[in-house]
Amino acid sequence: MALPIASQDQVASGQSTPGLPTPQAQIASQEPVKINDKGFTVLSEGINPKYDIIMIHGFQGHPERTWLHKSPKPNFLKRLFGKRGPRESCYWPGELLPQDFKDCRVVVYGYDSDVVNFFSTASQATIFDHGRNLLGELEALRRKDANRPIIFIAHSLGGLILKEALRRSRDHGLPNASAPYLKTIYSATSAVVFMGTPHRGSDYADWGVIAQRIAAVAGFDATGRIIQDLRVDGAVLNKIDDDFIPLRGRFAIYTFQEARGVKGVQGLNDRVVLDVSSKLGSENEVSASIDANHMEMCRFSGFEDHGYRKLRDTIRGHIDRAELPTFDDVEKYMQSLKLEIGLARLNEVEPAHAKTFQWLFDHGNTGYDQWLQNDEPLFWVKGKAGSGKSTLMHFAYHDDRTKMALESYPYSSQGKVSSPAFFLHNRGSPLQKSLEGLLRTIIHRILTDAKELQGPVLSHASKFIKSEVSGWNMSALDAAVEAICKQALVPLRICLFVDALDEYSGNHEDIVKFLRGLIKRFPGAKTKLKICFSSRPLQIFLDRFGDESDEGYQVRGFDIRDHTKDDIKEYLSAQFQLNLRMRRLIASGDQQVQRDIKLLRNMILYKAEGVFLWVRLVSEQLLGILTDGDYRGNSIANLKDRLTELPNELDEFYQCIVDGVNLKYQNELSRIAQILLCTKRPPMSLQDFLAAFRCSLVPSDSTLEACLKEIKDAPDCESAERFVRSRSGGLIEIIRGFTGSSLVKQFGLDTFGCRVQFIHQSVKTFFQKDRGDNDHTLQSPPHFNGHLCLQRFIITCMANISEHTLRNMDSSTDTQNWADDTNVCVGF
């Protein structure tokens, strides 16, 4: 059968030639095209095609006959008395698809599908050979438009050839592959439509039965020699399905199943391919049936044919929902979305002390375990600064019982479960305390857990990304979150953990609105989202989430201080045992000593008011006195006296610590605190911090060489740690595991893999209040300014850049890294 075709150049020009149809009409009115028995035949080039629709027949099929519909012959009486005329036929790939999909190129594929050789591993024309040939020929056909997305339509066993071709294409993307250019077919695959394709048999014999049925319906005698001689290697065919499993989540899959059996064929009273075999079972698979038998299910009579409408709507719906990015694009977007510091705060929170926080899962105690398994959207952990909220959130997030509870929820068993987390960190970098950082982290985690959503979500979000250079912006991130919440592809249960809402750098009202927006339900959406969050009980949060919430309902949750008394007692007992002198007193002290120790523990519990951080700092100070002694002695009674002198509130206690710092060091403590407070993009590497501090000691009228000498005379790591500890009284800490930028790298100095920060957000707040507040005894040195100190440090570093360094800077990478390094320290 010959069909008309219009070239892409002719159609895309949009010009009408006198005496000829318009470009749109040319799709179906150009000179006929001969359909090749083997290889590809382009039925329509389309108008500026966005997709390739590639059609593959099964064995004993043909690129024309497989898809050709012919009206049934009229019965005897109609033939005798009716009007004679030619039988109507419809070759829908060439007649219908080009009209409905003018933005697609339509191509059919033909190959030698001899039934005798098709299933044999010894033959030279097996499924594997056909898969290899299909891949090679298709790559050659698409070489000029390799990135154009593909929609495959495969009938019957043609689906097995397609699966083998896609598997081979994927493997050519692996390292050291012989022909990496062949991976473009897998990368560009947007959707696969399987029509009556058998994907599996329950055992090897079943594959033989399937083969015999298909051969019989193709016209072979079911009892004849050809059928009996079919050699079916079921293990190999099952392997094709197994190898296809890792590929399935990378593109959309649509399955059409035959609804009728074949009549009039010996040995066939049922459908050729049963539902159990024709359905992949993939989570992203969408299946439907066509009211026809195995051979007729891919032959449509016209635009109104019910089966054709189903197929057409499936393809158009797929295209309209999302112009899905290719595999390479998905990888690119996922990589750019990933935020290395997104989990930094979560990972640096110290794990809960042994045996603490177990009460969280006591049934009915806090309601947390029940909340995990119901539909309530929000759970709030509140508490004073330093009360252990972050440690509890870290514990809840990592505990296996959280995961088990989420997965045992009935909705979860039908699809995916994702538990993203973001711990806001006011002492960290701007992204660690921003909505952008939160969104990037949780979107990346959700799409990693639910790979089926990567294509649609990233495609929708990418429309808002202005350029690769500018990268992700808030509009794109909002679009991605919206797409996740509204998606209807796969059941998805999300439990989001957000720590320290009060450390959000923006308006707290904005973070509240964001959480409220996340839990909104959308009609038809298959995403269910829950949020467990923590914060101090600021008024904005009490108004929105408290007992008298202005939202009209109460959010489930608890105040952590109501549950941590036993935890603090357990922690104190462990700390006492770790101190050698206290351990000896507990083991061998007289009754009075034992009573004093018990009373000391109870006094700490009472004064702590549930603030873990206070307990930690106080116990360290008291046990230090016990070990080192002071002018009043080191008995337990003296420790009780010292404890009585210590204030309950953290701010007042911090002032006591500052007052306890050696007077000759307090000037240096003020410099240290200001440098950390003025750093625009914390955290600072330990060496950058030390270099900036040493620059601050150089007289202002000194040369840059003097500053440079101070930078290069850096101490070793152990000396640096002793310095920070002695000057800060323990209020500033050194965290190991730093991988960020550092200006001093150019001097060949080791960063020690460490960074410097305040031990808690409340300490940073304390020193911020201290600036210009005469109530505090810690005063800044005369004429000292933290911003100017950092500027001096940066200018010294910039002045030291050698011509060799500048000459070898890559404009797109090294220069940006240098800019990032300097931004870490700029305080304006």
Side-chain angles (χ1 to χ4, degrees):
M1 180 178 182
L3 290 168
I5 183 171
S7 71
Q8 184 174 355
D9 291 339
Q10 290 173 318
V11 174
S13 67
Q15 299 293 324
S16 296
T17 303
L20 292 178
T22 62
Q24 289 78 3
Q26 287 181 1
I27 293 176
S29 64
Q30 278 287 316
E31 60 184 58
V33 59
K34 182 180 182 302
I35 299 174
N36 303 316
D37 293 339
K38 297 179 181 179
F40 287 102
T41 303
V42 179
L43 302 179
S44 171
E45 288 285 1
I47 303 174
N48 298 320
K50 298 178 180 179
Y51 283 79
D52 278 348
I53 298 177
I54 309 293
M55 306 181 65
I56 307 166
H57 64 78
F59 83 162
Q60 291 301 120
H62 184 270
E64 179 182 349
R65 293 191 298 271
T66 292
W67 318 104
L68 179 64
H69 170 84
K70 289 186 177 181
S71 300
K73 292 181 179 181
N75 60 34
F76 174 75
L77 291 177
K78 285 187 177 180
R79 279 187 283 135
L80 183 62
F81 298 106
K83 182 179 180 181
R84 292 182 179 271
R87 289 177 58 190
E88 293 183 0
S89 63
C90 179
Y91 184 58
W92 60 274
E95 298 176 38
L96 308 186
L97 286 182
Q99 297 298 311
D100 281 327
F101 298 96
K102 296 181 175 66
D103 55 352
C104 297
R105 178 169 66 166
V106 181
V107 184
V108 290
Y109 181 65
Y111 58 95
D112 182 6
S113 55
D114 181 49
V115 67
V116 177
N117 298 324
F118 202 82
F119 290 98
S120 171
T121 55
S123 169
Q124 297 301 307
T126 66
I127 293 174
F128 307 98
D129 299 304
H130 289 310
R132 182 181 62 250
N133 294 337
L134 169 61
L135 176 60
E137 293 182 48
L138 184 54
E139 188 280 329
L141 176 72
R142 290 170 38 84
R143 195 162 294 165
K144 292 182 179 180
D145 301 288
N147 293 324
R148 183 185 296 158
I150 307 171
I151 297 174
F152 287 105
I153 302 175
H155 177 243
S156 191
L157 291 162
L160 302 186
I161 294 175
L162 174 59
K163 292 197 311 188
E164 173 62 14
L166 290 175
R167 193 271 306 170
R168 287 176 178 271
S169 179
R170 187 280 309 269
D171 288 352
H172 280 292
L174 300 176
N176 302 319
S178 60
Y181 57 88
L182 291 175
K183 74 173 183 178
T184 58
I185 302 304
Y186 171 63
S187 300
T189 298
S190 176
V192 175
V193 179
F194 290 114
M195 304 185 73
T197 295
H199 297 291
R200 71 185 64 80
S202 61
D203 53 48
Y204 298 167
D206 273 332
W207 271 114
V209 170
I210 293 170
Q212 291 176 7
R213 285 178 171 177
I214 294 175
V217 81
F220 292 90
D221 185 352
T223 61
R225 183 64 178 268
I226 289 180
I227 292 291
Q228 295 174 5
D229 286 347
L230 275 178
R231 290 170 289 176
V232 180
D233 191 336
V236 174
L237 295 174
N238 283 338
K239 187 176 185 303
I240 291 176
D241 187 57
D242 293 339
D243 290 343
F244 189 66
I245 290 175
L247 284 61
R248 299 187 307 198
R250 290 298 183 183
F251 38 76
I253 296 176
Y254 304 98
T255 293
F256 287 100
Q257 300 169 304
E258 59 210 69
R260 296 191 178 193
V262 180
K263 297 179 179 179
V265 178
Q266 184 178 0
L268 286 181
N269 296 314
D270 201 350
R271 289 169 292 173
V272 174
V273 181
L274 302 181
D275 289 350
V276 68
S277 179
S278 63
K279 192 171 182 179
L280 271 172
S282 176
E283 292 177 349
N284 65 323
E285 180 182 24
V286 178
S287 61
S289 62
I290 291 180
D291 189 23
N293 63 37
H294 186 76
M295 301 303 289
E296 296 299 323
M297 69 181 303
C298 60
R299 296 169 176 167
F300 305 128
S301 60
F303 288 110
E304 298 306 314
D305 187 295
H306 188 251
Y308 175 75
R309 293 205 309 269
K310 279 190 174 183
L311 178 65
R312 177 198 62 201
D313 293 346
T314 296
I315 297 174
R316 178 50 65 189
H318 172 79
I319 295 174
D320 289 346
R321 276 191 302 273
E323 296 286 345
L324 295 181
T326 64
F327 172 74
D328 288 340
D329 286 338
V330 167
E331 290 295 301
K332 179 184 67 176
Y333 284 127
M334 287 294 288
Q335 190 60 37
S336 65
L337 187 64
K338 187 176 182 180
L339 193 62
E340 294 296 338
I341 61 171
L343 299 179
R345 173 58 180 160
L346 170 64
N347 293 332
E348 81 174 32
V349 173
E350 292 187 14
H353 190 273
K355 299 181 182 179
T356 60
F357 294 137
Q358 298 301 319
W359 47 266
L360 181 64
F361 293 95
D362 289 346
H363 186 70
N365 187 17
T366 65
Y368 173 72
D369 57 335
Q370 299 160 300
W371 175 81
L372 288 172
Q373 300 182 71
N374 64 30
D375 287 329
E376 295 179 37
L378 297 175
F379 194 94
W380 182 23
V381 177
K382 61 179 177 287
K384 293 173 63 177
S387 57
K389 300 183 296 297
S390 294
T391 305
L392 176 65
M393 291 290 285
H394 182 278
F395 171 79
Y397 176 75
H398 286 289
D399 196 279
D400 288 341
R401 286 168 289 185
T402 293
K403 181 180 179 181
M404 292 171 59
L406 289 172
E407 291 179 345
S408 66
Y409 183 73
Y411 189 78
S412 303
S413 62
Q414 306 169 22
K416 299 282 187 178
V417 175
S418 181
S419 300
F422 190 78
F423 281 39
L424 288 152
H425 189 30
N426 188 269
R427 292 161 288 153
S429 69
L431 282 173
Q432 288 182 283
K433 49 191 172 185
S434 69
L435 196 55
E436 179 186 349
L438 187 157
L439 287 173
R440 286 178 60 177
T441 301
I442 67 173
I443 293 169
H444 186 273
R445 173 60 188 273
I446 293 169
L447 295 183
T448 299
D449 292 336
K451 291 183 172 58
E452 299 88 342
L453 300 182
Q454 289 181 2
V457 170
L458 295 176
S459 174
H460 179 62
S462 65
K463 298 173 184 177
F464 298 88
I465 298 178
K466 297 179 180 178
S467 69
E468 291 188 18
V469 176
S470 62
W472 288 88
N473 53 52
M474 286 303 298
S475 296
L477 293 170
D478 287 340
V481 169
E482 180 184 34
I484 290 172
C485 292
K486 290 183 176 181
Q487 66 86 23
L489 293 176
V490 57
L492 175 62
R493 183 170 171 82
I494 301 171
C495 185
L496 170 61
F497 291 83
V498 182
D499 180 53
L501 291 190
D502 50 285
E503 295 193 32
Y504 173 60
S505 60
N507 190 322
H508 287 149
E509 184 67 44
D510 293 338
I511 197 75
V512 169
K513 290 180 179 178
F514 168 73
L515 295 186
R516 289 290 183 191
L518 276 184
I519 61 175
K520 182 181 178 180
R521 299 285 192 238
F522 295 96
K526 292 188 177 181
T527 296
K528 291 188 176 181
L529 191 144
K530 302 167 71 69
I531 308 172
C532 177
F533 63 96
S534 71
S535 76
R536 290 182 292 147
L538 302 183
Q539 193 59 50
I540 177 66
F541 301 135
L542 290 172
D543 289 343
R544 299 297 185 270
F545 306 124
D547 293 341
E548 298 180 2
S549 167
D550 58 11
E551 298 293 335
Y553 64 90
Q554 181 180 353
V555 175
R556 189 189 288 253
F558 57 81
D559 191 314
I560 189 173
R561 293 178 300 167
D562 295 337
H563 302 276
T564 53
K565 182 178 180 180
D566 290 340
D567 291 339
I568 294 177
K569 188 183 299 183
E570 182 70 33
Y571 173 79
L572 279 174
S573 297
Q575 295 305 109
F576 283 7
Q577 287 295 326
L578 289 175
N579 183 276
L580 178 61
R581 291 184 63 82
M582 182 64 82
R583 188 165 67 245
R584 288 175 178 173
L585 290 172
I586 293 173
S588 58
D590 58 26
Q591 290 185 351
Q592 182 59 45
V593 169
Q594 299 298 330
R595 284 195 293 269
D596 285 345
I597 292 174
K598 183 177 181 181
L599 180 58
L600 177 67
R601 182 189 293 115
N602 289 338
M603 287 176 64
I604 294 174
L605 283 171
Y606 175 77
K607 288 175 68 71
E609 297 181 351
V611 180
F612 251 109
L613 179 60
W614 187 91
V615 174
R616 170 190 151 190
L617 295 173
V618 166
S619 61
E620 287 177 358
Q621 186 173 121
L622 295 179
L623 292 174
I625 293 173
L626 183 65
T627 298
D628 301 332
D630 64 11
Y631 65 93
R632 290 171 292 188
N634 56 7
S635 68
I636 298 299
N638 289 334
L639 295 185
K640 290 191 297 179
D641 293 340
R642 175 59 178 158
L643 178 61
T644 304
E645 298 171 0
L646 296 176
N648 297 25
E649 294 299 323
L650 279 177
D651 265 15
E652 296 175 7
F653 183 59
Y654 295 152
Q655 186 62 49
C656 285
I657 293 176
V658 169
D659 293 343
V661 173
N662 194 308
L663 285 176
K664 66 179 181 180
Y665 294 151
Q666 289 203 4
N667 183 290
E668 295 180 350
L669 173 56
S670 177
R671 292 174 184 267
I672 290 171
Q674 280 213 43
I675 288 171
L676 288 181
L677 288 172
C678 293
T679 302
K680 180 180 179 182
R681 288 179 50 194
M684 288 184 77
S685 74
L686 175 58
Q687 281 290 24
D688 278 354
F689 165 75
L690 291 172
F693 172 78
R694 293 171 71 86
C695 279
S696 75
L697 301 177
V698 178
S700 58
D701 57 353
S702 300
T703 63
L704 287 177
E705 285 74 14
C707 288
L708 186 60
K709 183 179 183 302
E710 287 294 332
I711 291 176
K712 291 183 176 180
D713 291 342
D716 57 44
C717 186
E718 184 178 346
S719 299
E721 289 188 22
R722 286 200 304 270
F723 167 78
V724 172
R725 193 183 311 111
S726 64
R727 269 56 171 180
S728 71
L731 295 180
I732 295 171
E733 63 184 349
I734 293 176
I735 301 295
R736 299 190 182 277
F738 177 79
T739 58
S741 300
S742 176
L743 284 171
V744 299
K745 289 179 182 177
Q746 63 170 309
F747 303 110
L749 298 177
D750 187 358
T751 63
F752 306 132
C754 299
R755 67 182 189 274
V756 185
Q757 66 179 28
F758 296 110
I759 63 169
H760 193 265
Q761 174 59 25
S762 57
V763 178
K764 180 180 178 181
T765 303
F766 165 76
F767 280 111
Q768 285 173 326
K769 292 178 181 177
D770 179 47
R771 301 171 68 185
D773 187 343
N774 292 323
D775 291 339
H776 290 318
T777 60
L778 178 63
Q779 296 297 311
S780 300
H783 310 298
F784 179 78
N785 182 292
H787 293 300
L788 294 178
C789 170
L790 288 169
Q791 278 191 321
R792 192 179 193 191
F793 165 55
I794 294 167
I795 291 171
T796 302
C797 292
M798 293 177 69
N800 189 67
I801 301 177
S802 66
E803 291 185 14
H804 174 77
T805 302
L806 288 172
R807 196 162 43 245
N808 289 278
M809 269 191 177
D810 179 274
S811 60
S812 63
T813 305
D814 294 336
T815 306
Q816 183 61 48
N817 290 341
W818 172 258
D820 290 344
D821 292 342
T822 55
N823 281 337
V824 167
C825 299
V826 173
F828 297 114

